[in-house]
Amino acid sequence: MPQTFAAADAVELAVVERSGFVESRHAGIALVLAADGTIAEKLGDPSSLILPRSSLKPLQALACLSAGAPLEGERLGLATASHAGTDRHVAVVRDILSLAQLGEEDLGCPAAWPSDTATRDEMVRELGRPARIRMNCSGKHAAMLLTSVVNGWDTESYLAPEHPVQILIRETVERLIGEKIAATAVDGCGAPVYAMTLFGLARAIHRIGNSSTTSPFALHRSAGALVGAVRADPWTIDGPGRADTIVIERLGVFAKGGAEGVMVMVARDGTTVALKMLDGSGRAATAVALRLLERHGALASADVADTLSKLPLAVTGGGQDVGAIRPAF
């Protein structure tokens, strides 16, 4: 199987500074596409292969929409989400499953605790247990199940790469990225995830983020609806106080992080960023993406600075802030 990019393909994207001393450095690759889709900036080699992880979810959700899944509003946001597992998130996932006349036992994702601390603490107090529906990918899985039911496809094998819903997703992914996928792997939730170039991922997210609900093309109308749903209800895609939700609420961007240091963002003017950290750490990914949008004029500097102050970027010592995680440029 092809491998992810090497250190020689990467450049320094972020540093961790403690008391004026650079303690750690994060290398990676990044690509900025202008509103018209042309390359505005390359950092490292964007032709390198990556696994997009959960940054693939907008493409997977679009495939479900194209196959007739009745997803809109909060349901569509959850189909695209890496949600925090709050009761509010879970209620919408159950709603999607109810449309398919299925239950959470039909979900193929593993059981998990919610990532939202308050929700997890409450579950522990109530002697709760990890559950599939609390897993951050349960909305995506519910959407795949609903798509299968709508089309008369088997629901027990929906995660198999040869299942019709996964074939549809693969074909949709290749259409949007404009290239053949390089390899198929198993994501953390058990669904297939596809290796592609960073440029391919950026191109797909740019197409989605610049789509309109009035487009003459059905897939673009669906993409416009998806982006509109997430911007209308940013809590769906992540959760309260979490990075993707914060930047969508405050800046109106469309943002979707993925495991292992992947991030994609589209500003309202269409400028698009995709990046991947070599070491797999996502702690600086949001800040780097925002700074790239800022320096290409898609976001105001004051707004970016204010938003960064709301993210968990502080480095502490003795209970005090003594430094920060920050972009290296």
Side-chain angles (χ1 to χ4, degrees):
M1 178 180 288
Q3 304 296 309
T4 191
F5 63 98
D9 302 317
V11 299
E12 186 174 277
L13 295 180
V15 298
V16 181
E17 192 173 72
R18 178 182 297 276
S19 303
F21 180 86
V22 174
E23 183 175 22
S24 299
R25 302 178 187 273
H26 292 297
I29 54 176
L31 181 67
V32 183
L33 299 182
D36 64 0
T38 58
I39 295 175
E41 184 175 3
K42 295 188 293 185
L43 296 168
D45 183 5
S47 67
S48 301
L49 291 174
I50 66 162
L51 291 174
R53 302 299 299 273
S54 283
S55 292
L56 187 67
K57 285 177 178 173
L59 286 68
Q60 293 166 313
L62 277 183
C64 292
L65 278 177
S66 71
L71 297 165
E72 59 183 11
E74 294 178 352
R75 294 171 182 164
L76 187 49
L78 260 295
T80 315
S82 297
H83 66 78
T86 68
D87 292 346
R88 191 180 184 190
H89 290 110
V90 165
V92 179
V93 177
R94 287 198 175 108
D95 183 46
I96 297 171
L97 289 170
S98 71
L99 290 175
Q101 298 185 325
L102 298 172
E104 56 186 282
E105 68 277 2
D106 295 296
L107 292 168
C109 54
W113 289 103
S115 51
D116 180 71
T117 302
T119 304
R120 176 170 180 157
D121 288 349
E122 179 62 24
M123 287 180 63
V124 170
R125 284 192 293 269
E126 297 296 324
L127 303 180
R129 303 179 64 182
R132 294 181 181 184
I133 203 163
R134 298 282 179 179
M135 201 265 175
N136 74 87
C137 298
S138 65
K140 176 182 78 174
H141 283 251
M144 291 175 179
L145 285 167
L146 178 58
T147 304
S148 297
V149 169
V150 166
N151 288 278
W153 299 331
D154 175 64
T155 56
E156 291 187 6
S157 61
Y158 78 95
L159 292 179
E162 64 274 13
H163 188 278
V165 74
Q166 301 303 337
I167 293 173
L168 171 68
I169 288 171
R170 178 178 177 138
E171 291 173 347
T172 303
V173 168
E174 290 186 333
R175 176 179 173 186
L176 287 166
I177 67 177
E179 62 191 40
K180 292 293 184 181
I181 64 168
T184 301
V186 181
D187 211 337
C189 66
V193 63
Y194 305 112
M196 61 191 65
T197 66
L198 185 73
F199 178 68
L201 177 62
R203 179 164 43 200
I205 296 299
H206 179 271
R207 288 173 172 171
I208 291 170
N210 285 274
S211 291
S212 169
T213 54
T214 61
S215 171
F217 303 105
L219 190 63
H220 290 189
R221 292 196 299 273
S222 294
L226 184 151
V227 173
V230 171
R231 283 181 169 147
D233 290 295
W235 67 271
T236 58
I237 202 166
D238 201 346
R242 296 171 63 81
D244 284 353
T245 294
I246 289 172
V247 300
I248 297 168
E249 287 176 339
R250 301 184 71 86
L251 299 170
V253 301
F254 177 77
K256 185 69 200 76
E260 296 297 318
V262 181
M263 174 58 67
V264 294
M265 282 190 195
V266 186
R268 286 196 178 274
D269 74 347
T271 306
T272 301
V273 171
L275 64 88
K276 157 71 177 171
M277 296 295 186
L278 179 61
D279 64 357
S281 172
R283 60 180 175 174
T286 300
V288 171
L290 290 177
R291 191 67 78 195
L292 286 171
L293 289 176
E294 175 195 348
R295 81 175 184 178
H296 286 274
L299 297 174
S301 296
D303 293 338
V304 170
D306 182 59
T307 301
L308 291 177
S309 72
K310 310 301 180 185
L311 298 174
L313 300 172
V315 172
T316 60
Q320 303 294 320
D321 290 351
V322 297
I325 303 165
R326 58 173 178 80
F329 45 85

